[in-house]
């Protein structure tokens, strides 16, 4: 038996198992919590009026899936989240990068962003309702606002953090403004921008739930709110579960997207 | 005060016109005088070397020639006979290739910025990647390469851009001895084919003599011209044969004796700043 074979073999195996072990641990912790919760509910350690057993929440969820109610609400919320993310994210991306590249523009917009950023976004919901009414526009607007700030701030920071030598290379090789944007500023800042976008989606998810609680007739926020008014606690938990799952899935998708669009980052294994 | 990047009349007979003409160049950063009264002419097709102690303003001079830094006073004229080609391409000191582009896209960068037809880009980039030994790595990203390979990409990028003037800032100092020698020889081959004007900074006196037609020794800060040393060694040069020639050793000794004073002065300056 050769020592070398053993060491390389076990190295590869331990690398593989480290990854699988992480995955397993990732699944075990939420499962354990659910089991604990279920047991506490069954044995009366917790008040099921406020904390219904997961099994009863699941059966409510199945029922709501059968009626199509849950799918409709989820789809509506996701759609608002999507449009809001695009409407807030794209202008933020462009403005942020331009601010990073251009000092006067940065000086012009910096104070505006610094002054508006600390305002709690949920506090402007009444204003959004006033301006955009009770329809889709006010919800999409709220998400857009939530996504806008982290993206614009991170895009500016990301461009400012690009090593100056790359901008010098661009100048020396006669990159025009358009090419400087696309070939240097955007890819150079992309890792930081992605972080901002993930933060923004998180804020957007909060805001969509809040916005749908007031003056909406659909969406997961509405579902949760109406469950409160009818004291349908299981239904409320279904709404909360689905929002949690959506948040989790979006994170997974964005991480995957990051890997695809930022292939030059040291191979994440 | 002026920096006329004059496009001189093409009707003038070429050899009488220097490719680069610098007069009384002065560059000040705040309190610090980086370059003080440098004047020099570089002939078209000349392989011009700059040596000097670190911090004497070599990089600053090259950046000014590249149009990346402004001058405080003095004049610079750069002749551009073939107007469709770029005036200069710089090989920067240290890592300068884009981490987010593959080797191929990095090498093709200048051509793409100039909107050269893609068939030409393919041919030219393929050619220079082969000459720098990078063909196999065309699809790699820089983080997958060694430091020396990354430097070769930046050399391929500059050559592929086919400029009138190549500005090279210590391009080989990060390379191991074998790769350095291979690339020096390759650079001489390419230069002998195209006879581009080259301005080449190095801290290696051997390299200066091996490659150059003429060597400018700069003084410690503030950077001035200390002396110009012509290198009358026949071309094509071969490092093995050069090393056997007494003239080669004499030139190195001559330049080194002139340089060593300045290196000592630079070191003294550093110590004064520290204390
Ligand atoms: N952008 C800058 N701002 C202030 N000082 C600078 C700047 N660039 C270079 N210097 C200074 O000018 C001097 C010459 O620098 P440099 O041209 O890089 O020297 P070298 O390339 O010969 O080592 C150094 O003292 C350096 O610190
Ligand atoms: Mg330097």
């Amino acid at each position: 038996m050769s020592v070398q074979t053993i060491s390389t073999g076990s190295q590869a195996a331990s690398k593989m198992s480290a990854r699988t072990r992480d995955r397993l641990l990732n699944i075990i912790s939420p499962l354990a919590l659910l089991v604990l919760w279920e047991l506490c509910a069954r044995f009366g350690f917790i008040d099921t009026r406020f904390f219904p057993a997961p099994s009863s929440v699941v059966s409510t969820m199945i029922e709501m899936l059968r009626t199509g109610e849950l799918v409709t609400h989820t789809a509506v919320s996701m759609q608002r989240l999507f449009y809001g993310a695009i409407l807030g994210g794209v202008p933020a991306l462009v403005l942020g990068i331009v601010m990073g590249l251009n000092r006067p523009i940065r000086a012009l917009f910096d104070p505006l962003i610094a002054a508006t950023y600390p305002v709690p976004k949920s506090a402007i919901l009444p204003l959004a309702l006033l301006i955009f009414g009770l329809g889709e526009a006010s919800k999409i607007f709220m998400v857009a606002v939530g996504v806008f700030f982290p993206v614009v701030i991170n895009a500016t920071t990301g461009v400012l953090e690009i090593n100056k030598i790359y901008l010098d290379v661009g100048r020396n090789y006669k990159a025009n403004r358009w090419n400087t944007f696309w070939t240097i500023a955007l890819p150079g800042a992309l890792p930081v921008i992605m972080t901002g976008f993930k933060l923004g989606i998180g804020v957007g998810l909060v805001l969509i739930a809040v916005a749908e609680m007031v003056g909406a007739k659909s969406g997961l926020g509405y579902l949760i709110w109406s469950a409160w008014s009818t004291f349908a606690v299981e239904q409320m938990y279904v709404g909360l579960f689905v929002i949690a799952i959506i948040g989790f899935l979006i994170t997974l998708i964005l991480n995957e997207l990051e890997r695809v669009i930022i292939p030059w980052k040291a191979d994440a294994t | 005060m002026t920096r006329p990047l004059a496009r001189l009349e093409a009707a003038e007979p070429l050899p009488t016109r220097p490719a680069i003409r610098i007069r009384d160049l002065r560059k000040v950063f705040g309190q610090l005088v980086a370059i003080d009264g440098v004047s020099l002419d570089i002939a078209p097709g000349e392989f011009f070397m700059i040596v000097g102690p670190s911090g004497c303003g070599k990089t600053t001079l090259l950046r000014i020639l590249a149009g990346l830094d402004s001058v405080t006073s003095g004049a610079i004229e750069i002749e551009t006979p073939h107007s469709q080609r770029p005036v200069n391409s710089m090989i920067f000191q240290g890592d300068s290739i884009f981490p987010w582009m593959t080797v191929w896209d990095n090498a093709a960068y200048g051509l793409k910025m100039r909107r050269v037809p893609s068939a030409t880009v393919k041919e030219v980039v393929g050619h220079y990647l082969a000459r720098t030994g990078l063909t196999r790595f065309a699809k790699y990203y820089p983080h997958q390469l060694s430091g020396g390979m990354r430097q070769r990409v930046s050399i391929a990028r500059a050559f592929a851009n086919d400029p009138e003037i190549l500005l090279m800032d210590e391009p080989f100092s990060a390379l191991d001895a074998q790769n350095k020698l291979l690339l020096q020889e390759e650079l001489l081959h390419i230069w002998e084919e195209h006879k581009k004007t080259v301005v080449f900074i190095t801290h290696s006196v051997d390299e200066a003599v091996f490659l150059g037609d003429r060597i400018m020794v700069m003084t410690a800060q503030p950077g001035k011209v200390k002396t110009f040393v012509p290198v009358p060694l026949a071309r094509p040069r071969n490092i093995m044969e050069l090393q056997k020639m007494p003239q080669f050793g004499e030139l190195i000794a001559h330049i080194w004796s002139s340089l060593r004073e300045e290196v000592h002065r630079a070191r003294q300056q550093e110590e004064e700043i520290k204390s």
Side-chain angles (χ1 to χ4, degrees), chain A residues 162-163 165-176 179-180 183-185 187-188 263-267, chain B residues 63 66-68 88-90 92-93 95-101 109-110 113 115 141 143-144 157-158 161:
Chain A
I162 295 175
N163 191 335
I165 202 162
Y166 299 128
L167 296 167
D168 284 340
V169 170
R171 281 167 66 196
N172 190 233
Y173 287 85
K174 301 287 174 265
N176 56 25
N179 283 324
T180 303
T183 67
I184 302 172
W264 59 89
K265 263 181 133 181
D267 300 319
Chain B
R63 288 176 57 87
L68 294 172
N88 71 72
S89 296
M90 179 131 165
F92 291 81
Q93 188 173 5
D95 253 351
S96 74
I97 59 169
F98 300 122
W100 48 86
M101 288 183 198
Y109 192 70
M113 293 304 104
R115 298 161 179 274
Y141 282 95
H143 77 267
Q144 299 167 304
R157 175 173 68 188
N161 201 31

Side-chain angles (χ1 to χ4, degrees), chain A residues 41-186:
Chain A
R42 295 241 169 136
F43 294 108
F45 294 140
I46 51 176
D47 190 339
T48 50
R49 285 176 306 166
F50 305 130
F51 305 104
S55 56
S56 67
V57 174
V58 168
S59 65
T60 309
M61 187 187 277
I62 291 168
E63 182 55 34
M64 288 172 75
L65 277 172
R66 191 172 311 140
T67 60
E69 191 184 0
L70 189 56
V71 176
T72 314
H73 288 305
T74 307
V76 166
S77 289
M78 291 296 282
Q79 197 175 29
R80 289 166 180 161
L81 193 65
F82 177 77
Y83 287 132
I86 300 292
L87 275 157
V90 173
L93 182 90
V94 175
L95 178 63
I97 291 178
V98 171
M99 280 172 68
L101 285 173
N102 187 304
R103 205 181 168 125
I105 291 181
R106 187 159 68 247
L108 204 61
F109 283 93
D110 244 352
L112 297 179
I113 289 170
T116 49
Y117 177 56
V119 175
K121 306 301 168 291
S122 45
I124 62 167
L125 178 59
L127 184 64
L129 290 173
L130 205 61
I131 297 170
F132 296 106
L134 294 172
E136 289 303 287
S138 56
K139 279 92 199 156
I140 292 172
F141 173 78
M142 289 304 289
V143 176
V145 168
V147 173
F148 179 85
F149 283 96
V151 173
V152 76
I153 289 169
N154 276 35
T156 306
T157 315
V159 172
L160 290 175
E161 280 173 2
I162 295 175
N163 191 335
K164 290 284 163 286
I165 202 162
Y166 299 128
L167 296 167
D168 284 340
V169 170
R171 281 167 66 196
N172 190 233
Y173 287 85
K174 301 287 174 265
N176 56 25
R177 274 163 200 266
W178 177 258
N179 283 324
T180 303
F181 183 99
W182 283 105
T183 67
I184 302 172
L186 179 63

Side-chain angles (χ1 to χ4, degrees), chain B residues 29 32 34 52-61 69 93 169-170 201 221:
Chain B
F29 292 110
L32 186 142
S54 66
C56 76
K58 304 182 295 294
T59 296
T60 305
L61 178 59
D69 272 345
Q93 188 173 5
D169 193 354
E170 305 198 14
I201 296 174
Q221 199 188 89

